[in-house]
Amino acid sequence: MWGPRVRADPRGSARVAPTPGPVGRRTVARTATPHVRRRERNSPVADAHEEPRGADRRTLSPDELAELQRVETREWLDSLDHVLDAGGPERVTELIDLLEQHAHRQGVRTPFSSTTPYVNTIPAAEQPEYPGDLALEKRIRALIRWNAMAMVVRANKESDGIGGHISTYASASTLYEVGFHHFFRGLDAGHDADHVFFQGHASPGMYARAYLERRFDVERLRNFRRELQDAPGLSSYPHPWLMPDFWQFPTVSMGLGPILSIYQARFDRYLVARDLKPQNAAKVWAFLGDGETDEPESLGAIKFAARERLDNLIWVINCNLQRLDGPVYGNGSIIQELEGIFRGAGWNVIKLAWGSKWDELLERDEDGVLARRFNRLIDGESQRYAAFGGPELRARFFDSPELQELIEGWSDEELGQLNRGGHDPVKVYAAFHRATLHQGSPTVILARTVKGYALGESAEGKNVTHQQKKLDEDEMRAYRDRLKIPIDDDQIAKFPFYRPDVDSDEYRYLKERRDALGGWLPRRAPRAEPLAAPGPEFVDEFLEGTGEREVSTTMVFVTVLRKLLRDPDWGKLVVPIIPDEARTFGMEALFRQIGIYSSVGQLYEPVDKVNLLYYRESETGQILEEGITEAGAMSSFVAAGTAYATHGINTVPFYVYYSMFGFQRIGDLAWLAGDMRAKGFMLGATAGRTTLAGEGLQHQDGHSHLLAMPIPNLLAYDPAFAYELAIVVREGLRRMYQEQESVFYYVTVGNENRAQPAAPAHLERDALEDGVLRGLYLFRPSPKKRSRKHVQLLGSGAIMHEALRAAELLERDFGVAAHVWSVTSYKALHRDALEVERWNRLHPGEPPRRAYLHQALADGRGPIVAASDYVKMLPDALARHAPRPLVALGTDGFGRSDARAELRDHFEVDARHIAYAALAALADDGQLTADDLAKALERLGIDPGKRNPHVA
Ligand SMILES: Cc1ncc(C[n+]2csc(CCOP(=O)(O)OP(=O)(O)O)c2C)c(N)n1
Ligand SMILES: [Mg+2]
């Protein structure tokens, strides 16, 4: 295959022939025609005195060997050129593939390399013509860069330490601007509107652009990072909570934007597959920092994007080679490293390393010395060129006579124009253009830029640049000159903004381009219609209880979900999300019923096909079975929970997961969901420290409700009974989708089977629902009305049953009337109490209000004992708002494996411990003696020397 070409090439054989001595014939056989060598090896003669491979070359002198290898290399390369000319790149690829397989069979192990040479993926010859007005766009970029800088510098002048970043946007400006002028589709593009994840620290650039676009006035820019002034300000970073008409995607917590964008792109596909949205051309663009790729969330899901063939996803990694403290990978090349990772994962990689000026040199570089020099370049070295410019480049980069020859006659200034690819609009356009056309896999663009680009000597490429928030007057003047901003010297000290008027070419161009692409961006405009919640009958069947039949609250949830799935309005909108735990939660019946979404359907016959409940994957499947990735599943939750805003579709995510792997695992994403005004239900299943029996320390969750406390718009419920759960879900649908409130829900469900009681007869339905939703209601008034001693027991979730048994113990064995309350939400009670407390403090002289908790318990008698399967801090937080002393029981401490009864004894939340705590509280109140307590301990079988579970 290679042979004929070699032999036909007079140069090749001519150069081999004269090689003296032992190089001669044997060498030709072993280099140019590998198959000859194999024949030799296979012959009996050769076998008889087989030499180790490569042995014949050891007799050569170094010069002979070098000559031989040079000739050999030339021959192989010439052959390749020939095949390329005759057969095209496909044939070359095929041959290389065959060659590699062949070598492998011969025992040659080629080192794995997932990288390509460190040059631009798109050669100059393949760049499309630039469709815009380059000069005008340059001018617009200059204006935005100026205003972004002025905004940050001015903010810090007026309020020292207020922060902000200039160097991130300075490096990324061309990347964004080419996108704004030519690619990003705005909301008016309808179904084709793109989703753009802007890098958080680049937000000053987006604000400066919006100012030119006249979406913001000067006041707003002046109040950058000053959101509590009379005139509204601008949030530090993209926060839909703070700027709900502007930002769509919060990105500043590094790593979250990238993973969200992957699941957003997949969710966009899911909507089409499920017939909720027509086919469309929308893209998801995500802008990342190169330092940001350090985060596991950034790269952790890239294989998934490739597996799903998300060619609607484009990542642009701004490789300015620096993060906050210094270089990202000073001793290597982040671009090359990322290329390897992404190619290995199956992404389309476009390297955008070198600007147009380098093309002149590359063209002249026939022997590839420049390309090889690029491969030797490491980022720490590159940074010096960014920081010190042309002379540094001449002295250190062009470090061989061959390289110096390339730049003969070039001035330092010309060398300084050897720009990085990410600052060259023509090259950026080529990369974006190719990315948007690419099919079959996601694309990542690795754009090489300079951090702090053009900001002057103190900032450009320097290690401190990320934190730089101030420029002195000289620097401002230099920047103004460089950007050609018409501001007079005497004005400079005021850090003035500059905006051309609406008749200017700049404004007209901006407007025209954005009009053509679907309007201003970023812009958030929720447009889903309110959807009426299911009526009260939705809850009816749950109010009746299950009689003798024992079911867990998880099963109750599945019943609620199925009911909703059958609902003509809601069924289609439900998005069940599960990270590989459906069987744990008894949800596998849903596999068959509604199917698991798969972009390719099911290409195999499932092993359990004969079963009724087989593992059914389908292109129209409804379940998002995410596998073992809580971060991925939570990203899907966010995508589905914000579809009302991003797509105008009211999808309702029900994300069901192991509660322990919720907030403490993906807390930052849950916080982001709040910021992003996501809607939906997070279902912490197998919840509770003592309810998930055998699993032990890392599985038993006794604190997720505590971790749910800080998220301001998250409502958290720990229902004990079927009807409580149904009431909460219906109300959630009403508040989120009918009233369109920006709240979401956390609901814990357990796996302990229990007979589900009917709604208590002593409460009207309205009062019951009101109590459930506000967090507390009387479930069981004591039948011992005439007893002299009373206690109020507060149970919740799984521990409600222990509270009920404690009440029986107290009444039967100790003559104490025990009223049992169900606490459905500590968070709701706490929020209400704090609100009332605040109101009272701020309204002196007005009749004080009472917290709901206080009102509910005021008329009862006796101390209050609250027990849950969660840490004591939850009930403790209520203690000062209660009308009488409140004792908290809970499950502080590490979990461990054992059965429920033993665990509840260990954590002191079983019926005996609750009863005893109630008696002790009565003793504190003077109603019982120490002697009574000693007897009670004995009677209840509680060992006072028992170890403290908190430290056990
Ligand atoms: C999770 C998280 N950790 C730390 C930070 C603080 N931080 C902000 S910017 C930054 C460096 C960013 O470097 P890079 O991603 O390369 O972006 P660049 O500004 O260079 O474009 C750091 C560490 C953050 N925002 N989020
Ligand atoms: Mg960086």
Side-chain angles (χ1 to χ4, degrees), residues 165 167-168 171 199 201 237 252-255 288-293 295 318 320-325 328 451 466 668:
H165 300 84
S167 61
T168 301
S171 67
Q199 200 186 340
H201 292 78
Y237 301 111
V252 76
S253 180
M254 310 224 138
L288 288 65
D290 47 358
E292 187 172 9
T293 60
E295 291 284 2
N318 177 18
N320 55 25
L321 316 185
Q322 290 176 242
R323 49 192 174 204
L324 193 151
D325 284 340
V328 177
K451 190 143 180 171
H466 188 86
D668 208 10

Side-chain angles (χ1 to χ4, degrees), residues 187 215 220 240 242-248 522-526:
L187 293 185
R215 300 169 71 196
R220 234 153 158 208
L242 302 172
M243 294 176 65
D245 303 328
F246 193 79
W247 294 117
Q248 285 186 299
R523 184 158 74 97
R524 183 178 178 279

Side-chain angles (χ1 to χ4, degrees), residues 9 107 113 133 192 210 264 333 378 473 489 510 530 601 675-676 700 792 912 924:
D9 182 349
S113 170
D133 182 333
D192 292 335
Q264 181 72 51
S333 163
I378 57 175
E473 270 187 50
D489 274 353
L510 273 179
D675 179 358
M676 207 166 156
Q700 291 162 341
Q792 312 294 325
R912 294 169 314 130
D924 282 347

Side-chain angles (χ1 to χ4, degrees), residues 27 83 455-456 467 638 665 673:
T27 317
V83 177
L455 278 172
Q467 301 292 69
V638 169
R665 178 91 188 201

